[in-house]
């Protein structure tokens, strides 16, 4: 069985696009009649006779279908070039979990100091795979949310290492043909729900003021999974390391996650992105190297945001023996963390039981005054706080936008969720996003509501609860696609390409959505078969002179699940070329008209990835 759903066409229509033909038939019929009437009237006025033609308004003559044969009318002259005839064979089964920029063998070439070898190190152009990454034999469509939070098919992620290594910590259990996720964690033996309840007794998680969160060293992301029921959307990350498939398990569960590590580069997020940051026994050396890792958390944390720490060294007097650490060592570690947090002007809200919570100030008014006396760490001079693609972390404090009073929120106060998603983001209302005014923001929001509504009429499975869970928007701009789906039981990873003309990722986070920076000349930091649906608006136009379309498509194929869907918006000539490539990758695809009608050059390509896996015999290869 391919999964829980019947095979479907990319537009959920019969093979002949009769629905599109019927929708335009009356309009074309009227136009043709008017044209003929005008011609006959002109002939009569000139004194001529009725021309000897067959009238297209004659009901005895069949009206031609009102569908454009794009393949016929936009084909290059001459013989087909190599690109149009190339086949893309399946890769070897050893690549079924291939993450190109976190390849284990390639990482060994790099410095182990500061975990640099676990950062992104992408293959060169001559190393790119020109094949399609296979799903393992027996792969099944994942369970629907919310069942997927608690269960995943063993065949989809065939790794039992964590069931042994973390058995007593209740992370994950193996049961026959599936895994069960009880919601446990190293520091929450009673389950993530109970642990989050404990946090909720210390800070307010229920009034909509906390919407976006980041979980460092996430394990299988149970913290993020259980926050979703509280309308808190967490980006979880962990490196690809000895704990095999942590992030892959998170994604299989339908929880937002990326492969990542705090090492020497900034996290791929803008400044002031998250309302809350979390570390539960994530084993990150927070106090080392001048507190550089905590300084990076400060950069991505919103004014007034919270940092939550549980595990070493918190409550070390109780746990030091079980942690196989000395009391002196753990006390020194906690004192160092406290000193770094104080130097960042954070306020320690509470330490109760196993949990400690600090809060970032609303602004840097008092912090700047104190810096005249204490210079460590200094404020960063003349840096772009939102630049975060292969950007080195710094041991200086990212300054917040200027304010006039101690009560003012630096950069502007956000609405509570869910009003936040359609409120004008402060970055726009304050005029810091070039070319984007509040009026243009509202227009964009209305546009994407209309577009997503159109998508759902073309492929009604987008509106079917539970059909899609993990979505990717490859060129998100202001996040309008994700915002239009905000009430659905799904999540969207919004990508702002580093090549985009304007950096809008900060706006997306101010809307209460999540996302990341990415250059599509490289692979994404995620596992194969991450997403159920990929949306790509003008992505091939953006990269037309930068890389080959086939390389982008192969990366999309790598991260799309079997029977997953693709929606591509682009110029018609580009889409015809893309469709040819996708047809040779065994996709079922169809080009349809723009939502504003057939006269718009931009068209839509709806496509469905076929269900296929590595053969059974290859497991032993």
């Amino acid at each position: 069985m391919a999964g829980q759903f019947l095979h479907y066409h990319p537009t959920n229509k019969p093979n002949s696009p009769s629905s599109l033909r019927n929708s335009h038939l009356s309009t074309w019929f009227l136009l043709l009649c008017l044209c003929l009437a005008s011609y006959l009237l002109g002939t009569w006025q000139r004194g001529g006779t009725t021309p000897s033609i067959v009238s297209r308004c004659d009901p005895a003559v069949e009206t031609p279908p009102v569908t454009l044969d794009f393949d016929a009318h936009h084909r290059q002259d001459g013989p087909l070039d190599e690109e149009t005839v190339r086949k893309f064979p399946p890769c070897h089964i050893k690549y079924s979990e291939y993450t190109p920029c976190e390849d284990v063998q390639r990482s060994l070439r790099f410095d182990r100091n500061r975990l640099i070898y676990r950062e992104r190190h992408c293959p060169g152009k001559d190393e790119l795979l020109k094949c399609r990454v296979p799903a393992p034999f027996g792969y099944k469509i994942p369970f629907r949310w919310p069942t997927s939070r608690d269960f995943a098919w063993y065949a989809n992620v065939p790794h039992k290492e964590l069931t042994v290594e973390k058995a007593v910590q209740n992370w994950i259990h193996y049961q026959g043909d599936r895994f069960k996720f009880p919601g446990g964690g190293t520091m929450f033996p009673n389950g993530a729900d109970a642990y989050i309840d404990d946090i909720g007794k210390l800070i307010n998680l229920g009034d909509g003021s906390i919407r976006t969160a980041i979980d460092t060293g996430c394990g299988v992301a149970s913290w993020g999974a259980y926050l979703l029921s509280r309308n808190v959307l967490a980006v979880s990350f962990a490196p690809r390391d000895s704990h095999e498939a942590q992030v892959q398990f998170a994604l299989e569960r339908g929880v937002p996650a990326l492969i990542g590590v705090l090492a020497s580069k900034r996290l791929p997020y803008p400044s002031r992105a998250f309302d809350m940051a979390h570390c539960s026994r994530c084993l990150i050396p927070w106090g080392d190297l001048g507190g550089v890792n905590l300084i990076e958390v400060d950069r991505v944390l919103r004014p007034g945001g919270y940092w939550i720490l549980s595990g070493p060294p918190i409550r070390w007097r109780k746990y030091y023996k079980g942690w196989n650490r000395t009391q002196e060592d753990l006390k020194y570690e906690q004192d160092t963390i406290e000193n770094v947090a104080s130097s960042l002007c954070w306020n320690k809200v509470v330490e109760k039981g196993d949990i400690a919570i600090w809060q970032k100030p609303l602004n840097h008014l008092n912090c700047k005054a104190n810096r005249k006396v204490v210079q460590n760490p200094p404020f960063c001079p003349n840096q772009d706080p939102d630049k975060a693609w292969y950007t080195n972390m710094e041991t200086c404090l990212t300054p917040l936008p200027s304010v006039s009073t101690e009560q003012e929120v630096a950069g502007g106060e956000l609405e509570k969720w869910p009003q936040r998603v359609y409120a004008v983001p402060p970055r726009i209302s304050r005029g810091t996003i070039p070319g984007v005014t509040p009026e243009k923001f509202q227009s964009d929001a209305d546009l994407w509501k209309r577009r997503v509504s159109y998508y759902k009429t073309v492929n009604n499975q987008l509106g079917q609860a539970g059909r899609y869970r993990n979505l990717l928007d490859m060129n998100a701009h202001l996040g309008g696609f994700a915002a239009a789906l905000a009430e659905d039981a799904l999540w969207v990873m919004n990508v702002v390409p580093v090549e985009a003309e304007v950096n809008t990722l900060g706006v997306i986070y101010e809307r209460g959505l999540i996302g990341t920076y990415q250059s599509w000349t490289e692979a994404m930091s995620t596992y194969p078969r991450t997403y159920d649906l990929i949306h790509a608006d003008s992505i091939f136009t953006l990269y037309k002179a930068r890389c080959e379309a086939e390389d982008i498509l192969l990366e999309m194929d790598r991260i799309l699940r079997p029977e997953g869907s693709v929606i591509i918006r682009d110029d018609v000539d580009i889409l015809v070329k893309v469709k040819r490539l996708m047809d040779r990758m065994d996709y079922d695809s169809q080009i349809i008209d723009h939502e504003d009608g057939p006269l718009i050059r931009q068209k839509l390509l709806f496509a469905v990835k076929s269900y296929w896996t590595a053969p059974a015999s290859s497991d032993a290869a």
Side-chain angles (χ1 to χ4, degrees), residues 149-218:
R149 186 193 69 180
D150 302 324
F151 294 97
W153 297 112
Y154 170 75
N156 293 8
V157 193
H159 295 286
K160 298 180 183 178
E161 294 88 341
L162 282 177
T163 65
V164 177
E165 185 173 346
K166 301 294 181 180
V168 299
Q169 295 165 8
N170 229 20
W171 280 27
I172 179 173
H173 297 161
Y174 174 63
Q175 298 180 343
D177 62 351
R178 66 196 65 187
F179 291 109
K180 181 178 181 180
F181 302 91
T186 308
M187 293 308 300
F188 33 98
N190 297 322
D193 229 10
Y195 174 75
I196 293 169
D197 284 340
D198 289 341
I199 294 173
K201 295 171 186 175
L202 305 176
I203 58 176
N204 195 337
L205 295 176
D207 69 348
S209 60
I210 296 177
R211 166 61 180 173
T212 55
I214 183 169
D215 190 15
T216 55
C218 64

Side-chain angles (χ1 to χ4, degrees), residues 185-189 195 280-281 310-312 314 319 323 354:
T186 308
M187 293 308 300
F188 33 98
Y195 174 75
S280 176
R281 195 174 169 82
S310 64
I314 304 303
Y319 294 118
W323 292 337
D354 299 340

Side-chain angles (χ1 to χ4, degrees), residues 58-76:
D58 188 339
V61 180
E62 182 181 357
T63 302
V66 191
T67 54
L68 299 178
D69 184 0
F70 294 106
D71 194 53
H73 295 290
H74 294 268
R75 180 171 294 164
Q76 295 178 347

Side-chain angles (χ1 to χ4, degrees), residues 1-7 138-141 153 156 563 611 613:
M1 288 291 291
Q4 300 164 300
F5 303 96
L6 296 176
H7 175 74
Y139 178 89
K140 299 180 181 180
I141 300 302
W153 297 112
N156 293 8
E563 296 193 347
Y611 173 84
T613 72

Side-chain angles (χ1 to χ4, degrees), residues 216-293:
T216 55
C218 64
V220 294
S222 289
W223 187 73
Y226 281 84
L227 275 174
L228 289 165
S229 63
R230 293 163 166 83
N231 280 323
V232 177
L233 191 57
V235 175
S236 301
F237 74 87
R240 178 162 188 169
D241 61 6
S242 58
H243 292 171
E244 189 70 52
Q246 292 180 90
V247 168
Q248 192 175 16
F249 277 125
L251 293 163
E252 196 69 18
R253 298 174 71 184
V255 180
L258 289 165
I259 300 172
V261 63
L262 269 168
S264 69
K265 306 296 182 186
R266 283 179 171 179
L267 298 172
Y269 316 113
S271 65
R272 313 194 315 273
F274 299 99
D275 301 311
M276 178 168 60
H278 174 257
C279 163
S280 176
R281 195 174 169 82
C282 61
L283 305 180
I284 294 172
W286 296 112
D288 289 5
L289 301 172
V292 65
N293 292 322

Side-chain angles (χ1 to χ4, degrees), residues 431-579:
T432 60
I433 306 298
V436 184
T437 63
E439 293 75 21
K440 288 184 177 179
F441 169 79
Q442 188 59 57
S443 176
D444 183 82
D446 293 340
L447 174 66
W448 280 104
K449 287 179 183 178
R450 184 163 58 87
R451 285 179 169 178
V452 169
S453 178
Y454 181 63
Y455 290 168
K456 289 181 178 180
T457 64
V458 175
N459 178 2
N460 59 25
Q461 296 204 23
L462 181 57
Q464 183 185 120
R467 178 61 187 92
Y468 302 115
R469 174 64 185 171
N470 305 2
L471 276 65
L472 173 69
D473 192 356
M474 295 177 69
N475 189 14
H477 190 43
L478 301 178
F481 172 74
L485 293 166
E487 294 183 2
D488 295 357
L490 51 79
W491 57 270
V492 180
M493 184 62 73
N494 295 280
V495 169
V496 172
V498 295
E499 295 85 358
E501 186 176 344
V502 180
N503 182 357
T504 54
L505 193 54
V507 168
I508 288 169
Y509 273 96
E510 287 183 340
R511 300 186 73 175
L513 307 170
I514 58 171
T516 183
Y517 295 116
Q518 173 69 35
S519 172
W520 292 111
T521 62
E522 298 179 353
M524 193 176 186
S525 290
T526 194
Y527 279 87
R529 302 172 297 283
T530 288
Y531 294 103
D532 306 308
L533 184 146
I534 297 176
H535 180 255
D537 180 10
S538 304
I539 203 73
F540 292 95
T541 292
L542 179 63
Y543 284 92
K544 185 163 62 172
R546 294 183 170 98
C547 62
E548 297 296 329
E550 67 181 42
D551 292 329
I552 295 177
L553 285 170
L554 284 169
E555 174 61 5
M556 292 170 67
D557 183 75
R558 183 184 74 88
I559 62 180
L560 185 66
R561 298 189 193 281
E563 296 193 347
S565 295
V566 177
I567 304 174
I568 304 174
R569 307 177 67 92
D570 223 311
D571 182 85
V572 60
D573 288 336
I574 289 177
L575 283 193
V576 169
K577 175 181 177 181
V578 168
K579 186 181 187 304

